[in-house]
């Protein structure tokens, strides 16, 4: 009986479907080599004021996010529902990247294809030669585009599962010297793809909610780059977190934001 329970527990654990009570949920996230860490719950420096001009960086106060457009605060979320909304951070070069985001995407209404799509909305990005962009494609799939510093070519990778709109989700993206991968919510799926040398350009800052390289963050060349929805937490590390570390951070966020 115990051996059968152990087998079932392992199967559920591998799928990421065990109830949270089975885990020793961390009291704090892993923030090793994290150079951007912002979240709505701990944004006490701004008091969740819609007139705040910065978003407090919990690991580097000298690199707080500067407001772009008219983002708004609502309870435990940064709400991005207007043109050109988001936060811009200073440039940080890194050869390895992990991006973690807690968010819930909403329908983008009024775009060129108003059919319950979010088009290509940017969660977090530093998209230029040697940069990367973590986004939601029009088919409601979390994905990423990384640009090789040597060959100036894009590498695309997407999670195979559609996301559910208006629901809190955790997503993580890693990009190292030899692969990129994506983990979504409690799914155990990790997609990997070979990649070249990643070295972020000094000419493009990091941005949350929009693509900092576009002249019009809301709509450019038939694509909506502006994220439309709520962002609760963002961490960007200058190293590749292991699958176990990503899982721990996912459990931390799911417990903290109750999803």
């Amino acid at each position: 009986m115990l051996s059968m329970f152990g087998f079932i527990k392992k199967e559920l654990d591998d799928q990421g479907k065990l109830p949270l009570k089975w885990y020793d949920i961390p009291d704090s996230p892993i923030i090793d080599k994290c150079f951007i860490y912002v979240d709505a719950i701990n944004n006490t420096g701004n008091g969740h004021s819609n007139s705040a001009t910065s978003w407090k960086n919990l690991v580097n106060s000298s690199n707080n996010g500067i407001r772009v457009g008219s983002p708004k605060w609502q309870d435990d979320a940064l709400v991005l529902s207007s043109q050109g909304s988001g936060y811009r951070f200073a440039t940080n070069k890194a050869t390895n990247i992990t991006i973690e985001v807690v968010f819930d995407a909403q329908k983008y209404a009024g775009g060129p294809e108003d059919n319950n799509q979010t088009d290509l909305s940017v969660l977090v990005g530093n998209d230029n030669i040697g940069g990367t962009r973590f986004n939601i494609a029009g088919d409601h799939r979390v994905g990423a585009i990384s640009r090789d510093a040597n060959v100036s070519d894009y590498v695309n990778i997407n999670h195979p599962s559609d996301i559910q709109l208006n629901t809190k989700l955790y997503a993580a993206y890693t990009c190292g010297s030899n692969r990129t991968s994506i983990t979504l919510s409690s799914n155990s799926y990790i997609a990997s793809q070979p990649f070249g040398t990643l070295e972020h350009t000094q000419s493009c800052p990091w941005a949350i909610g929009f693509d900092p390289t576009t002249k019009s963050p809301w709509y450019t060349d038939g694509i909506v780059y502006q994220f439309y929805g709520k962002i609760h937490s963002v961490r960007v590390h200058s190293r590749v977190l292991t699958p176990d570390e990503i899982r721990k951070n996912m459990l931390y966020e799911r417990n903290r934001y109750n999803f």
Side-chain angles (χ1 to χ4, degrees), residues 217-232:
W218 182 252
Y219 182 79
T220 298
D221 299 328
I223 299 176
V224 177
Y225 287 95
Q226 171 75 52
F227 175 75
Y228 190 76
K230 299 177 181 179
I231 293 182
H232 304 272

Side-chain angles (χ1 to χ4, degrees), residues 121-140:
S121 55
V122 178
L123 290 166
V124 186
N126 176 24
D127 185 27
N128 208 327
I129 295 177
T132 191
R133 180 175 69 213
F134 197 19
N135 53 245
I136 301 172
D139 57 3
H140 294 159

Side-chain angles (χ1 to χ4, degrees), residues 3-66:
S3 61
M4 178 60 69
F5 172 78
F7 174 77
I8 295 174
K9 180 178 182 300
K10 183 180 185 304
E11 287 295 301
L12 288 172
D13 183 65
D14 289 343
Q15 298 175 38
K17 296 178 181 179
L18 262 182
L20 294 181
K21 65 182 181 180
W22 289 102
Y23 295 96
D24 181 14
I25 301 172
D27 294 327
S28 60
I30 297 168
I31 57 173
D32 180 40
K33 294 188 177 181
C34 183
F35 60 90
I36 295 177
Y37 178 17
V38 290
D39 72 72
I41 288 180
N42 287 315
N43 194 44
T44 54
N46 292 326
H48 288 174
S49 169
N50 287 331
S51 62
T53 58
S54 63
W55 194 358
K56 183 180 179 182
N57 189 345
L58 299 176
V59 293
N60 184 358
S61 60
S62 64
N63 187 18
N64 291 332
I66 305 303

Side-chain angles (χ1 to χ4, degrees), residues 15 45 60 67 82 89 92 94 158 208 217 249:
Q15 298 175 38
N60 184 358
R67 184 180 65 185
S82 60
F89 295 79
N92 186 296
N158 291 283
I208 293 174
N249 280 358

Side-chain angles (χ1 to χ4, degrees), residues 41 54 60 83 87 98 109 113 115 118 130 140 144 161-162 165 186-188 222 228 232 242 249:
I41 288 180
S54 63
N60 184 358
Q83 298 183 13
Y87 279 87
T98 297
E113 298 179 78
N115 56 358
T118 56
H140 294 159
S161 302
D162 291 355
L165 298 181
S186 60
N187 297 333
S188 59
Y228 190 76
H232 304 272
T242 67
N249 280 358

